Amino acid sequence: MRTLYLLRHAKSSWDDASLSDSERPLNPRGQRDAPRMGRALGSQLAPMTFHISPAERARQTFLGLQPHWPGLTKEQGVVTPALYTFNYRGVLDWVAQQPGAQQHLAMVGHNPALTELINYLAGPGTLDNLPTAGWAELSLALDDWSGIYGEEGKGQLVYRLFPKDLQDEAR
């Protein structure tokens, strides 16, 4: 069994039109949601390595999680250029190339790629939309990541957590 942990970056700002897409930072809601998700996820999961899109909003999302997730270090955030994609096939190609010894992969990426990846692996209509700062955990009956192309519709969405589900702080 293999596990994919998918986190969509937190809400980004569109305030500065001079910034390229990859340079856009988090807006105030994103700056609030990333730590909230870090606390919630860190209370349930052990620290893990995260592969992060190089987009500023994805990097800031990980940096927002990190201090609120016990034991999660900045070094566990690995910037991974292949994850700056909006196409689930690009993410699928990256996953297929990962070492077989890794039982789980965690990533911070973008939509529509992550929502489409969930629906590709767990079946159409499994999730309408992975919202900003939304988390999804997929379980896959794989011996090796290279077999991911054969998992269409065979995976299972075993857990999801969205910022709106958190009751610990005002939204």
Side-chain angles (χ1 to χ4, degrees), residues 23-158:
E23 295 172 317
R24 289 189 297 111
L26 296 182
N27 73 9
R29 187 173 107 198
Q31 292 168 3
R32 181 185 68 235
D33 285 347
R36 292 175 69 225
M37 291 297 288
R39 274 190 289 284
L41 294 168
S43 71
Q44 302 173 47
L45 296 165
M48 61 184 79
T49 298
F50 277 83
H51 298 275
I52 306 165
S53 161
E56 184 64 20
R57 60 194 180 273
R59 293 184 312 123
Q60 286 183 2
T61 298
F62 176 77
L63 292 175
L65 291 177
Q66 182 266 315
H68 304 280
W69 185 318
L72 187 63
T73 66
K74 288 180 184 177
E75 293 74 28
Q76 287 172 293
V78 178
V79 174
T80 306
L83 296 180
Y84 183 57
T85 182
F86 307 99
N87 184 323
Y88 82 96
R89 290 257 177 217
V91 179
L92 204 59
D93 291 344
W94 178 81
V95 169
Q97 297 170 17
Q98 298 314 297
Q102 292 183 336
Q103 294 298 307
H104 66 266
L105 291 173
M107 62 188 79
V108 181
H110 306 274
N111 254 1
L114 296 183
T115 297
E116 290 173 357
L117 180 65
I118 292 164
N119 288 315
Y120 172 84
L121 292 171
T126 297
L127 186 67
D128 289 336
N129 179 52
L130 184 63
T132 53
W135 175 266
E137 177 181 336
L138 290 165
S139 179
L140 303 161
L142 282 175
D143 293 326
D144 192 87
W145 291 112
S146 63
I148 193 128
Y149 296 109
E151 290 302 294
E152 184 174 359
K154 296 179 185 176
Q156 182 178 10
L157 178 63
V158 295

Side-chain angles (χ1 to χ4, degrees), residues 6-27:
L6 307 175
L7 178 67
R8 183 176 172 195
H9 65 77
K11 190 75 174 166
S12 62
S13 174
W14 291 87
D15 290 346
D16 186 345
S18 71
L19 296 176
S20 70
D21 180 73
S22 66
E23 295 172 317
R24 289 189 297 111
L26 296 182
N27 73 9

